[in-house]
Amino acid sequence: MTRKPVIVTTELQYTIKADREIAALLEIEEGSEVNDRVVKLSAGGTVFVHARSLSPLERMPETMKEQLMRADIPIGRILRTHNLETRRDMGELEILEGEPTFDGVPVLSRAYKIVHNNYTLMWINERFPIDKRWRL
Amino acid sequence: MTRKPVIVTTELQYTIKADREIAALLEIEEGSEVNDRVVKLSAGGTVFVHARSLSPLERMPETMKEQLMRADIPIGRILRTHNLETRRDMGELEILEGEPTFDGVPVLSRAYKIVHNNYTLMWINERFPIDKRWRL
């Protein structure tokens, strides 16, 4: 849309233990290891998307785990290099106000799961700021 | 990109028998039934994409077959309502000149296969005219 290259910047990248909420979301045991990754997508110096992904490590092929944790590789490319057959189950789609993600600018937030063999491989929440930056 | 609704118009929709070339492409027997569908995607009265799909009917769930042949439903939505896990195997990406698709305007043409259970469920060729209509 901007006709400029999209840059993926990793803001944070941790392995966490699933708390009750995350365990329920991903349908895994509480305490299982989860990759928690936050990236920003920007073009021409402007951030257009903020995305958080939660991926249960126990369900990741080994090489995929490495790619995911090496960061700065878009999810779509990671899935493609592994020839995984997946579907996307769309979840919430809502407008959130007063969130810190874009310094309080209202955001359009959507969440979905990338599903493989009927297991959630990844939960993703993308947030798009609602302001003039989209007047391209 | 246009900020206008995208309209899917079916140009043709036939059941054909696979000739040798199509059989090889889809890895099916020669003579098997294939759904051959050509759609145009337009927005604000301008056609932006011309897409042809070839789908072996023997691999389609019954309800999917009906949707596909009822036309005017985008492929993405058909796949979604069936909860199919798929991957996309990208094929040719090339510029073609002198094709009738857009009255001789050069087109960017890409082809890919939608794969499910390691079988090709659908071969798709999308063509994008290379001209000023993209200066939105």
Side-chain angles (χ1 to χ4, degrees), chain A residues 3-127:
Chain A
R3 295 169 196 221
K4 285 168 194 155
V6 174
I7 311 292
V8 180
T9 314
T10 303
E11 277 210 327
L12 71 83
Q13 162 85 21
Y14 290 123
T15 300
I16 59 171
K17 303 269 183 202
D19 61 15
R20 198 175 349 173
E21 197 186 353
I22 290 176
L25 185 71
L26 300 173
E27 293 159 274
I28 54 176
E29 296 289 319
E30 231 178 293
S32 305
E33 290 196 319
V34 169
N35 184 64
D36 185 357
R37 187 197 202 204
V38 175
V39 300
K40 289 187 300 192
L41 306 187
S42 49
T46 303
V47 181
F48 286 93
V49 189
H50 182 278
R52 183 183 183 199
S53 63
L54 294 172
S55 313
L57 289 179
E58 65 197 44
R59 288 188 191 146
M60 283 298 125
E62 199 56 44
T63 49
M64 196 165 155
K65 223 181 279 187
E66 286 162 22
Q67 283 196 340
L68 198 69
M69 299 171 84
R70 238 183 43 220
D72 294 351
I73 309 177
I75 299 294
R77 193 171 308 150
I78 295 175
L79 293 174
R80 190 166 307 158
T81 61
H82 287 82
N83 274 343
L84 284 181
E85 297 182 2
T86 58
R87 66 168 202 266
R88 287 171 192 226
D89 286 354
M90 305 314 288
E92 295 78 35
L93 176 61
E94 57 195 341
I95 290 172
L96 302 176
E97 302 198 347
E99 290 284 308
T101 323
F102 282 94
D103 305 315
V105 171
V107 296
L108 182 64
S109 171
R110 70 170 184 180
Y112 57 92
K113 292 173 178 178
I114 295 181
V115 177
H116 174 63
N117 285 340
N118 284 319
Y119 287 108
T120 299
L121 209 57
M122 202 171 285
W123 172 88
I124 297 178
N125 174 220
E126 293 166 342
R127 293 175 172 200

Side-chain angles (χ1 to χ4, degrees), chain A residues 3 83 85-86 117-118 134, chain B residues 3 85-86 117-118 134:
Chain A
R3 295 169 196 221
N83 274 343
E85 297 182 2
T86 58
N117 285 340
N118 284 319
W134 299 96
Chain B
R3 296 168 194 221
E85 297 182 1
T86 58
N117 285 340
N118 285 318
W134 299 96

